[in-house]
Amino acid sequence: LTHQFNPPSAKLANVDGRSKEPPGLPFPPPFDHPLPHHRPGSPPSMARTLQSSEEQQRLLSLAQAETAGASIGQEDSVLSADIGWHKYEQSHLLKPGSASVLQMLHNMPSEERANHILTHSEVPPVVFSVLNLMDLQAIQYIITLIMEVVRDDGSRYDVLMGCLPDADIFTPFHKTLSRQDVDTATSDKAAYLLSGFMCRGGSKKFSESQVTTFVTSIVNASYTMTELGKLESFCNLLKNNAYRNTVFEARGVTDMILKNVDPERPAPNLYKACFCVWLSSFRPDLLKQLIDRGVVLALRKVLGDSRVEKVVRVCIHTLPALLEEDKAVEDLLERNTLQVLQLLEYEKWRDAELYEEIRQTLYTLQSKVKQYSNFERYEKELANGKLRWSHLHQEKFFHENIEKFGEDDFRVVKVLMKLLVADDLETVAVACHDLGEFARLYPTGKKVLDRLKAKQFLLMLLSHKNKDVAREALLCVQKLMLKRWADVSGGQVQPAK
């Protein structure tokens, strides 16, 4: 899987200081919105450097490369069939002369055929007229032919639409997709092409109702498509900023995308879903919706478990936008994303630039640690009544904030005592750990805990059926009883998690 879905990186040339659009991408340049992690009026940041236009286009180029190589063998099989175009012309289903044009294209090599279609403005109308036929084999042939033309260069969508100034592109594709006898492979290609034309054509070629109908039909299964085909269509539409709200407003789209942001899903589905999340990050309002729906935890799980290079890359490129949102930063830090990024830095990647991208993201996240590792946030977690292993429960935090544990007659310590009888087992384990650190680092910590009768509660937890709780309780008791914990721990104490 790693080999199949990790094509070599595409390098993009710059002309006159502007990023050149990579071939094969239905993406209308330039971007008509600021990057989500570089808000207007804010100073340039490491994130801004990481998410430059060149990097955006590079990711888009890699996405197109994967799509291009997915089904070439199947396309060759479809295009090798001799349709017999003259019978349609004789039945007046095609205009006079159409059969000879189509037969000539059939006899050409693929590259020559694509160039001929693009350089002869009278040919695209003939090709697209076949989509109005009822013969499914003929429609499959033409859809595969168009796919072959636009696959390697997204600007070819523009050339084709330029030859069809007054043509209704939506209706024939929609009718084909709505057929009961169409197979999923044909439907996936048809939807991919229609979403590509919509992305490039925008409101000049497609009405808002047509785009809404297309998205709704995908979600409610009116089209016979695979889940990967649906995700690919969403990716194409999301490349156009004007369609992002339309896509995410459709009921079920967010659920489908987030369901596939899971390392257990097939690699192509996982990549396309993560790509949709990255594209949504250019709209802070959409990103916040995804954060509320748990996208941070999902991406963190992907980074921890997946080693498909393109998947890791697109997740890394999504993180700078997430680091502009407080809730996302807290979630990332609480889920030990720093350690995950450190491990990724030592993995073997074929693209050397990925190492630098990981290091830059790691640097940015590390700069957030001090901002979010303050005592006020610790007190907020205590007030919430649920403690989780995070940077707030590491030795560095206690060394920096231990004096504050004595404020207000040891109020924080008393709250930790109450949490020793909480229903949530992780909360109990973390509370035991924090009390142990207080006993070890606060000058009179042991005496304070003796006065509060902490040892009695901790001794009862030694026989707890949960191993983490029992372990942390034992460690805390040892810290209370031993004068020099460093002699036992080797000078360093690590939390159980």
Side-chain angles (χ1 to χ4, degrees):
L1 284 176
T2 303
H3 175 75
Q4 181 177 358
F5 299 111
N6 288 337
S9 303
K11 304 298 181 181
L12 303 178
N14 291 330
V15 181
D16 298 329
R18 295 173 294 179
S19 60
K20 181 180 179 182
E21 183 190 4
L25 295 174
F27 194 99
F31 297 125
D32 53 353
H33 49 279
L35 295 179
H37 48 271
H38 184 64
R39 293 168 179 162
S42 64
S45 63
M46 183 70 70
R48 179 67 175 90
T49 303
L50 181 60
Q51 281 284 58
S52 64
S53 296
E54 289 79 4
E55 290 298 333
Q56 296 162 23
Q57 298 290 8
R58 183 164 171 266
L59 271 182
L60 290 166
S61 181
L62 288 169
Q64 184 67 17
E66 186 235 17
T67 302
S71 58
I72 294 178
Q74 185 182 17
E75 291 176 5
D76 290 341
S77 176
V78 172
L79 294 175
S80 65
D82 192 351
I83 303 299
W85 300 109
H86 289 285
K87 62 184 177 183
Y88 299 111
E89 186 175 318
Q90 292 169 0
S91 302
H92 304 290
L93 297 174
L94 293 176
K95 292 181 179 180
S98 297
S100 60
V101 172
L102 293 168
Q103 191 61 44
M104 178 183 62
L105 292 175
H106 178 74
N107 296 329
M108 290 180 175
S110 60
E111 186 175 348
E112 182 182 350
R113 180 166 51 214
N115 289 332
H116 185 82
I117 293 173
L118 295 167
T119 55
H120 294 76
S121 59
E122 71 279 4
V123 176
V126 175
V127 172
F128 274 78
S129 66
V130 178
L131 295 175
N132 294 310
L133 299 177
M134 292 300 296
D135 187 345
L136 184 58
Q137 185 183 17
I139 292 175
Q140 290 173 330
Y141 183 98
I142 289 301
I143 286 177
T144 305
L145 179 64
I146 300 172
M147 192 78 171
E148 178 186 73
V149 172
V150 302
R151 180 175 55 208
D152 297 328
D153 189 346
S155 64
R156 294 179 175 181
Y157 282 99
D158 300 329
V159 177
L160 292 177
M161 285 188 288
C163 299
L164 305 163
D166 301 319
D168 178 7
I169 296 176
F170 173 78
T171 301
F173 279 106
H174 177 62
K175 286 183 177 180
T176 298
L177 287 163
S178 301
R179 290 177 59 153
Q180 297 299 312
D181 59 341
V182 69
D183 59 284
T184 55
T186 302
S187 292
D188 285 353
K189 290 177 185 176
Y192 182 87
L193 288 172
L194 180 54
S195 60
F197 280 114
M198 284 181 165
C199 182
R200 300 292 300 203
S203 59
K204 294 181 180 179
K205 295 292 293 186
F206 299 91
S207 66
E208 184 177 347
S209 63
Q210 288 176 333
V211 178
T212 302
T213 298
F214 179 59
V215 175
T216 305
S217 298
I218 292 176
V219 176
N220 63 21
S222 296
Y223 298 157
T224 308
M225 299 174 62
T226 64
E227 192 143 304
L228 176 59
K230 296 175 181 180
L231 291 170
E232 287 180 332
S233 296
F234 292 151
C235 278
N236 276 348
L237 291 176
L238 290 171
K239 291 170 188 175
N240 189 325
N241 184 50
Y243 294 148
R244 286 171 185 157
N245 273 344
T246 303
V247 172
F248 277 97
E249 285 174 357
R251 186 175 181 180
V253 170
T254 304
D255 290 336
M256 182 183 298
I257 291 173
L258 292 180
K259 179 179 69 174
N260 284 279
V261 183
D262 185 337
E264 299 298 323
R265 303 294 291 180
N269 294 43
L270 171 61
Y271 175 64
K272 291 298 180 180
C274 292
F275 205 85
C276 286
V277 173
W278 175 67
L279 290 169
S280 71
S281 71
F282 293 99
R283 289 284 298 273
D285 54 332
L286 297 179
L287 186 62
K288 288 179 181 178
Q289 294 178 26
L290 291 175
I291 292 172
D292 292 338
R293 295 289 301 275
V295 73
V296 176
L297 177 60
L299 290 175
R300 158 64 181 81
K301 183 173 174 57
V302 171
L303 286 171
D305 296 348
S306 177
R307 289 302 176 266
V308 179
E309 187 162 324
K310 290 198 306 170
V311 171
V312 173
R313 182 187 294 108
V314 76
C315 289
I316 291 294
H317 279 260
T318 307
L319 289 182
L322 292 173
L323 292 176
E324 291 294 327
E325 303 295 335
D326 290 344
K327 186 178 186 302
V329 174
E330 291 181 2
D331 290 343
L332 287 170
L333 292 175
E334 288 176 3
R335 297 294 174 176
N336 294 322
T337 310
L338 278 172
Q339 291 88 332
V340 173
L341 291 175
Q342 288 169 346
L343 291 174
L344 288 176
E345 189 178 358
Y346 292 98
E347 289 284 344
K348 291 184 178 180
W349 308 112
R350 291 188 299 173
D351 183 4
E353 294 183 17
L354 182 55
Y355 291 102
E356 181 60 26
E357 293 165 3
I358 293 172
R359 282 192 288 269
Q360 289 183 0
T361 305
L362 182 60
Y363 176 85
T364 305
L365 186 58
Q366 286 173 332
S367 67
K368 297 282 186 178
V369 171
K370 188 172 183 180
Q371 176 183 349
Y372 286 83
S373 297
N374 55 53
F375 199 70
E376 288 75 16
R377 292 186 180 277
Y378 182 80
E379 290 182 304
K380 181 180 177 181
E381 187 180 28
L382 289 180
N384 186 43
K386 284 191 176 183
L387 306 181
R388 293 292 180 263
W389 294 112
S390 69
H391 56 286
L392 293 175
H393 306 281
Q394 294 178 353
E395 186 175 14
K396 182 176 184 292
F397 171 82
F398 283 93
H399 275 293
E400 293 175 350
N401 297 279
I402 193 64
E403 294 298 328
K404 295 179 181 179
F405 279 74
E407 295 177 355
D408 198 11
D409 193 23
F410 301 98
R411 179 179 57 83
V412 169
V413 179
K414 293 175 182 177
V415 174
L416 287 171
M417 289 284 298
K418 292 180 180 179
L419 293 178
L420 291 177
V421 294
D423 294 331
D424 183 75
L425 297 182
E426 186 175 352
T427 296
V428 177
V430 176
C432 290
H433 169 267
D434 289 4
L435 287 172
E437 291 297 87
F438 170 75
R440 182 173 71 93
L441 297 174
Y442 195 80
T444 59
K446 296 183 180 65
K447 293 182 180 179
V448 172
L449 292 179
D450 283 341
R451 177 166 57 86
L452 296 175
K453 303 184 185 304
K455 190 182 298 183
Q456 298 177 17
F457 289 95
L458 293 166
L459 290 174
M460 289 189 293
L461 294 175
L462 292 178
S463 58
H464 200 284
K465 60 182 179 180
N466 182 276
K467 293 182 179 180
D468 287 339
V469 172
R471 179 182 184 277
E472 292 300 334
L474 176 60
L475 290 173
C476 186
V477 170
Q478 290 174 337
K479 292 173 185 177
L480 282 170
M481 297 177 66
L482 295 175
K483 292 184 178 180
R484 293 194 61 191
W485 173 251
D487 293 341
V488 178
S489 65
Q492 186 175 9
V493 180
Q494 296 295 337
K497 195 64 174 177

